[in-house]
Amino acid sequence: MVLRRFAWPYGGQRASFCGSFTGWRECPMGLVGTEFQVVFDLPPGVYQYRFLVDGVWRCDDTKPVVHDEYGLISNEVLVTLVENNTHLAVQQELSSPRRMNMDEGIILTTMPPEPSPQNSGVQIAIFRHRVSEILLHSTIYDVVPVSSKIAILDGRLPVKQAFNIMHDEGLALVPLWDDGQGTITGMLTASDFVLILRKLQRNIRVLGHEELEMHSVSAWKEAKLQYYGGADVAAMQRRPLVHVKDSDNLREVALTIIQNEISSVPIFKSSTDTSGMPLLNLASLPGILKFVCSKLQEWHEGFPILQNQIGSIPIGTWSPHTGRTSNRQLRTSRLSAPLISCLDFLLEDRVSSIPIVDDNGSLLDVYSLRLWSCNIR
């Protein structure tokens, strides 16, 4: 149970409160100074509520609002096991039996205890809120190593030499430096490597092996759109380099990676000083996830959702025969499948790996874009 205070600071002669946890029954609010207040002891969950001020139903415009199926507007609140310092202080000070405090004007109400929520939707909402708070109040510098090495390639390097460097260093992607512009202008990825090999495999003369010794990386990046035909053109669109700034919070960084369907994003310094290298480091979802996990371990009360089985939570990508709903079905391949078909899956589905299964659908291995780029040249 969590002690949560609700307040109406916008004036009025009298005010009442009602919410989804009161069965929408009105509860009187006490006047404290210039605002009306009421405190409830609530189990964790997501709740809606409204205020009745001088006979008129009102919502607090500064708080989150939702619309129900009838178009009615209510405020919404997410109650978690650990609230902010203010609520914790109230909980410690008001540990006596619940009653109306006539001196301070705060009306205290205890909600009947409820069983721990089994609804995965509520658990996900609570967990999402906590993760969002962690990301919102963390910066790039929380995930960037104090000391690290970043490989950067000059865009004038020949394609074959660039990929040899990626192979030797075990890199799946590298930023590209444009000496003329004095900045990072693009990324060379394992997907670029596979694109060239796929075109050569299909006997479409894009770049001969001898030309790979001469063509620069920047020339390949510029001409790549012309090499695509049919549906491939729709899949590839020239766009400015996607990047983040070191002043961005981790929530903005994670959304940038997800919305652009990329594996890593360059971090540019936000300083107005244009001299020197603008690139600070690279940010990736695995790095952000590792940081979030370390922060979650600091919460001793834990999160019930983490104790659930993966199959009980509506997340992830699932194979069709399981009956699970998913925006994207799980792509698999067989050991007997041609290599070119696996490359097509990697590129067209924009995934980093494909499970290799037998005739019964049992997992045998995983074919990874990163392993491909590091082991073949």
Side-chain angles (χ1 to χ4, degrees):
M1 302 292 284
V2 178
L3 204 61
R4 182 72 192 227
R5 179 178 58 187
F6 299 89
W8 177 263
Y10 307 111
Q13 298 300 315
R14 63 186 185 280
S16 299
F17 177 93
C18 71
S20 56
F21 49 87
T22 70
W24 297 105
R25 296 187 301 272
E26 294 181 34
C27 299
M29 301 183 72
L31 187 63
V32 180
T34 59
E35 71 176 20
F36 293 94
Q37 296 184 1
V38 64
V39 177
F40 289 91
D41 225 359
L42 300 172
V46 180
Y47 305 102
Q48 293 77 43
Y49 62 93
R50 305 188 195 104
F51 301 93
L52 182 61
V53 183
D54 295 337
V56 179
W57 288 109
R58 306 286 297 273
C59 288
D60 189 340
D61 294 336
T62 64
K63 301 293 192 300
V65 296
V66 293
H67 296 73
D68 65 14
E69 56 183 327
Y70 304 106
L72 298 177
I73 302 176
S74 302
N75 286 120
E76 187 171 66
V77 63
L78 174 65
V79 177
T80 58
L81 291 175
V82 177
E83 293 293 302
N84 59 39
N85 292 336
T86 301
H87 294 143
L88 288 177
V90 172
Q91 187 173 11
Q92 294 169 359
E93 295 169 4
L94 304 175
S95 58
S96 58
R98 309 299 180 226
R99 59 185 177 81
M100 182 180 293
N101 190 326
M102 301 303 293
D103 295 332
E104 297 184 2
I106 302 178
I107 296 177
L108 304 180
T109 305
T110 301
M111 299 303 297
E114 298 181 6
S116 176
Q118 300 299 320
N119 189 326
S120 62
V122 174
Q123 294 182 4
I124 290 175
I126 294 174
F127 187 73
R128 181 185 292 120
H129 177 77
R130 178 61 65 197
V131 171
S132 181
E133 287 292 310
I134 292 174
L135 296 178
L136 192 62
H137 296 93
S138 303
T139 68
I140 285 292
Y141 293 98
D142 291 311
V143 296
V144 171
V146 177
S147 177
S148 62
K149 179 179 69 173
I150 307 176
I152 301 175
L153 297 182
D154 193 317
R156 296 172 296 184
L157 281 174
V159 172
K160 187 173 182 179
Q161 183 179 352
F163 283 130
N164 282 338
I165 294 174
M166 292 178 64
H167 169 270
D168 294 340
E169 297 295 329
L171 303 172
L173 76 167
V174 289
L176 296 175
W177 173 263
D178 187 307
D179 201 46
Q181 299 185 40
T183 188
I184 301 296
T185 57
M187 301 287 288
L188 186 64
T189 70
S191 296
D192 288 307
F193 187 26
V194 175
L195 280 173
I196 294 178
L197 295 179
R198 187 176 70 160
K199 289 301 181 182
L200 293 174
Q201 172 68 24
R202 290 180 173 180
N203 296 321
I204 298 177
R205 189 180 184 280
V206 180
L207 293 174
H209 289 287
E210 70 282 356
E211 291 176 287
L212 292 178
E213 301 278 3
M214 301 174 57
H215 269 67
S216 67
V217 172
S218 58
W220 154 250
K221 300 291 282 188
E222 286 296 324
K224 185 166 59 174
L225 287 179
Q226 302 176 15
Y227 302 153
Y228 273 79
D232 286 344
V233 175
M236 296 293 297
Q237 297 180 358
R238 183 178 287 110
R239 62 183 179 182
L241 175 66
V242 178
H243 67 279
V244 296
K245 297 181 179 179
D246 61 353
S247 57
D248 293 339
N249 59 57
L250 288 186
R251 185 174 183 272
E252 295 170 330
V253 176
L255 287 175
T256 298
I257 295 175
I258 294 172
Q259 292 170 355
N260 288 279
E261 296 183 333
I262 53 181
S263 59
S264 298
V265 63
I267 306 167
F268 283 6
K269 299 175 182 177
S270 55
S271 172
T272 56
D273 181 11
T274 58
S275 62
M277 173 61 66
L279 180 67
L280 178 64
N281 213 309
L282 298 176
S284 65
L285 283 182
I288 296 176
L289 178 61
K290 181 178 179 181
F291 170 75
V292 170
C293 289
S294 67
K295 298 296 289 184
L296 291 177
Q297 292 176 357
E298 299 176 5
W299 300 95
H300 300 293
E301 80 281 1
F303 294 90
I305 191 173
L306 298 181
Q307 306 302 321
N308 290 3
Q309 295 181 352
I310 294 178
S312 67
I313 306 172
I315 60 174
T317 304
W318 300 84
S319 57
H321 71 272
T322 62
R324 296 295 299 259
T325 58
S326 175
N327 292 331
R328 177 183 292 178
Q329 294 295 342
L330 180 65
R331 174 79 79 170
T332 62
S333 188
R334 305 292 178 86
L335 282 175
S336 58
L339 179 58
I340 189 66
S341 67
C342 289
L343 299 182
D344 288 341
F345 291 161
L346 290 170
L347 295 175
E348 293 168 4
D349 288 8
R350 300 177 69 85
V351 294
S352 60
S353 59
I354 301 174
I356 306 299
V357 299
D358 60 18
D359 293 338
N360 297 320
S362 299
L363 181 67
L364 298 175
D365 209 332
V366 176
Y367 193 78
S368 169
L369 183 65
R370 181 182 179 91
L371 292 177
W372 161 264
S373 64
C374 290
N375 293 328
I376 304 294
R377 56 175 171 173

